[in-house]
Amino acid sequence: MELTKRQIELLKIIVDEYTLTVQPVPSKLICEKYMKDLSPQTIRNELFKLENYGLLEKTHTSSGRIPSSSGYKFYEENILKPLITNDVRNKLLTIFNQRNVSIDMIIDESASLIEEVLKLPTVIHSTNNDTTLKRFDLIPLNEKIVIVILVTSDGEIIKNKIKLEEQKQIEDVIICVRIFNDRLVDTKLSEISSKIQVVKELIRHSVHQYEFCIQEILTKIFSYDTAMKKPYVYGLKSLATQPEFKDVERLHQVLNMLEDSSVWKQIAYTQEQSGRKQIIFINDVGVKDVTIASTSITTKDLTKHISIVGPNRMNYAAVKGLLQFMKDELEKMK
């Protein structure tokens, strides 16, 4: 899809206006405020084309237009110019230039500033790059339940309950734990995925019930969450200041999403696929009209994921400007 210069300008106007007012943008306002040299009919024709492209939508027949999810995506990828004010830049530099302060504390203080500036919550979560698997153990609780324990090099103990239906399954669990100890001890959590296929083949040729082993043992134990620390959310109360989240049920949905580890698992995976070189915007997070903007910063031991959560109409320029500046400055400190 290739837009004309006029269509790009119209899309930008509607995104910017809707961000400020939270109201559908009528063609009359565009004509009177931005494009006085064009007739209302010409503007309506162009808006109709953008609507047909899937970039705009109408909430009501007689209302103006608002950006669609595709419209925000096009805006972010093709129009957006990151913005950070000198005042915010200087405040962040003051935080970054502190001596004898850990990078964790610097990120914490930065997250608090982001919440203050944007009135949106910031989520910090991390994955440990150098943590390794140290041992697997098996503890039978009774004839129907066993616990498989995974111990990591940083002292974390991860327990997984396995339910059994027959004797052959306990034999299979014992075989799997033996294979894990033989093949995966001292492997970095970040490198497990590269060895899983070999482990699967060994299990396939060693156990009675291969599918049981994959679904009930391998999948449960080696989820990405084993390498991920619990996310910390700054500024939860700021969500209630956003018009989109005034509804208690909607707010509850967003709060549940923030506690859903699978969301942050997906964010980390998407960031990994992008090479950790950019700011990503994701709006398919299971809650309507919610967008997460995220970046990641890799230090010697950890990868820190910094995410800003808000409505689809969040101020993309300010969000991207803040995240990009933080990323650039913090990566100088590694």
Side-chain angles (χ1 to χ4, degrees), residues 22-23 90 136 156 186 188 236 267 269 318 325:
V22 205
Q23 296 295 323
N90 291 335
F136 294 87
E156 188 170 3
D186 292 330
K188 291 182 179 180
L236 268 180
I267 295 289
Y269 176 78
F325 185 73

Side-chain angles (χ1 to χ4, degrees), residues 32 56 58 101 145 216 229 234 245 286 317 327-328 332:
E32 293 175 350
L56 299 179
K58 298 186 77 171
V101 175
I145 299 175
E216 296 300 319
K229 305 301 180 183
Y234 298 81
F245 307 135
K327 179 178 175 65
D328 291 344
K332 292 177 184 177

Side-chain angles (χ1 to χ4, degrees), residues 137-289:
D137 276 320
L138 174 66
I139 301 177
L141 296 184
N142 54 50
E143 293 181 354
K144 296 294 184 181
I145 299 175
V146 297
I147 301 293
V148 175
I149 296 177
L150 182 159
V151 182
T152 68
S153 59
D154 60 1
E156 188 170 3
I157 299 174
I158 301 163
K159 302 174 185 177
N160 290 273
K161 183 187 295 184
I162 310 295
K163 294 182 179 180
L164 309 171
E165 295 182 356
E166 53 184 287
Q167 179 61 31
K168 287 184 178 180
Q169 291 178 345
I170 181 63
E171 295 172 7
D172 285 349
V173 175
I174 293 170
I175 291 170
C176 287
V177 169
R178 187 182 69 241
I179 291 173
F180 296 158
N181 277 315
D182 288 345
R183 296 286 179 159
L184 296 176
V185 166
D186 292 330
T187 298
K188 291 182 179 180
L189 295 183
S190 58
E191 297 174 357
I192 289 175
S193 58
S194 65
K195 295 188 176 184
I196 285 295
Q197 194 55 46
V198 173
V199 169
K200 283 183 177 180
E201 289 305 309
L202 288 172
I203 291 173
R204 184 191 301 276
H205 297 293
S206 305
V207 299
H208 303 290
Q209 298 180 13
Y210 176 71
E211 288 303 322
F212 163 78
C213 293
I214 298 302
Q215 296 301 322
E216 296 300 319
I217 305 174
L218 207 68
T219 302
K220 283 185 177 180
I221 294 174
F222 298 111
S223 66
Y224 195 95
D225 296 325
T226 57
M228 184 178 292
K229 305 301 180 183
K230 184 178 180 179
Y232 189 85
V233 183
Y234 298 81
L236 268 180
K237 63 182 180 181
S238 61
L239 277 176
T241 68
Q242 300 298 323
E244 290 88 345
F245 307 135
K246 292 293 186 183
D247 179 76
V248 175
E249 184 176 345
R250 171 66 70 82
L251 181 60
H252 187 64
Q253 289 177 339
V254 179
L255 293 176
N256 285 341
M257 181 206 72
L258 292 174
E259 295 178 358
D260 186 350
S261 62
S262 67
V263 171
W264 308 111
K265 176 181 175 181
Q266 181 61 37
I267 295 289
Y269 176 78
T270 303
Q271 202 77 57
E272 182 79 26
Q273 296 303 299
S274 70
R276 300 195 182 100
K277 295 179 181 178
Q278 57 183 331
I279 314 299
I280 59 172
F281 287 81
I282 301 175
N283 56 24
D284 53 345
V285 292
V287 180
K288 186 180 179 183
D289 297 329

